[in-house]
Amino acid sequence: MTIAIGDKLPSATFKEKTADGPVETTTEQLFAGKRVVLFAVPGAFTPTCSLNHLPGYLENRDAILAKGVDDIAVVAVNDWHVMGAWAQSSGGLGKIHFLPDWDASFTKALGLDADLSGGGLGVRSKRYSMLVEDGVVKSLNVEENPGQATVSGAATMIEQL
C-alpha cells in the first residue's frame, strides 16, 4: 500500500554523512514537530537526479525555507558513502539532509519502491516529493515517469507551500 496524504511516516534510521562524520538520524528526529520537504530520487549521481531534481531544491532552498519549512531532505536507495559523496560534489552538504536508504526499507514501507532491474538499477525509489508536518504527509507528488522531475520538482513544491 502506498503512503497517502494524512498518513504518518514509518519509523526509520538513516546513517547520514555530515561534516563531522557519519551520524544516525531517525525519522522522529527529522520530522517530529517540524515542517519538512522530503523528496526522493531513483539514485544519486543519475542524470535527472543530479542535473535537474536535486539542483532545483538546492537553488530554491532559501525560497522554500522562507515559506515556513524547517528543513529539506532527499532520500535515495544508496549507501551512506554514495550519498555523502553526492552531498559533497553537489554543494548540498550542510544545506539539506542526504538520507541513504541502503536496503530500500524506508522506500518499501512507503510503498514507493520501483523495480528498475531492466535498467540495471534493481530496486529503487520512485521519484516523489512530499510536505511532511510533524511526521504526517500533507502533500504527495509522485512522478509517473522516473526520468522526469516536474511533478516532484522544487517549483511544484513551492506552489504547494
Side-chain angles (χ1 to χ4, degrees):
M1 186 167 86
T2 302
I3 196 159
I5 294 170
D7 290 348
K8 186 166 178 54
L9 289 180
S11 291
T13 301
F14 303 97
K15 191 171 190 174
E16 184 179 7
K17 190 167 188 173
T18 69
D20 299 322
V23 173
E24 286 197 351
T25 305
T26 66
T27 48
E28 290 76 16
Q29 291 169 312
L30 283 167
F31 299 102
K34 298 176 189 167
R35 192 169 187 231
V36 180
V37 168
L38 174 66
F39 69 102
V41 298
F45 293 107
T46 56
T48 302
C49 306
S50 291
L51 301 174
N52 185 344
H53 210 183
L54 175 61
Y57 281 95
L58 288 173
E59 291 164 10
N60 290 286
R61 179 181 177 270
D62 292 342
I64 292 168
L65 297 178
K67 295 219 176 230
V69 171
D70 298 301
D71 216 342
I72 302 170
V74 59
V75 65
V77 180
N78 290 112
D79 65 58
W80 68 278
H81 295 288
V82 170
M83 291 298 281
W86 196 37
Q88 186 71 42
S89 71
S90 68
L93 186 64
K95 295 179 182 172
I96 66 174
H97 291 276
F98 285 76
L99 306 175
D101 186 18
W102 69 274
D103 62 354
S105 59
F106 178 71
T107 299
K108 288 177 181 176
L110 292 174
L112 291 169
D113 52 304
D115 184 356
L116 302 179
S117 297
L121 297 174
V123 175
R124 295 296 178 127
S125 177
K126 290 182 179 179
R127 186 181 306 282
Y128 66 85
S129 66
M130 63 173 71
L131 176 63
V132 181
E133 292 182 10
D134 196 23
V136 176
V137 178
K138 295 298 181 180
S139 70
L140 176 62
N141 312 294
V142 181
E143 296 286 350
E144 292 295 321
N145 179 342
Q148 294 179 341
T150 51
V151 171
S152 63
T156 299
M157 183 54 66
I158 289 170
E159 289 175 14
Q160 294 175 344
L161 298 172

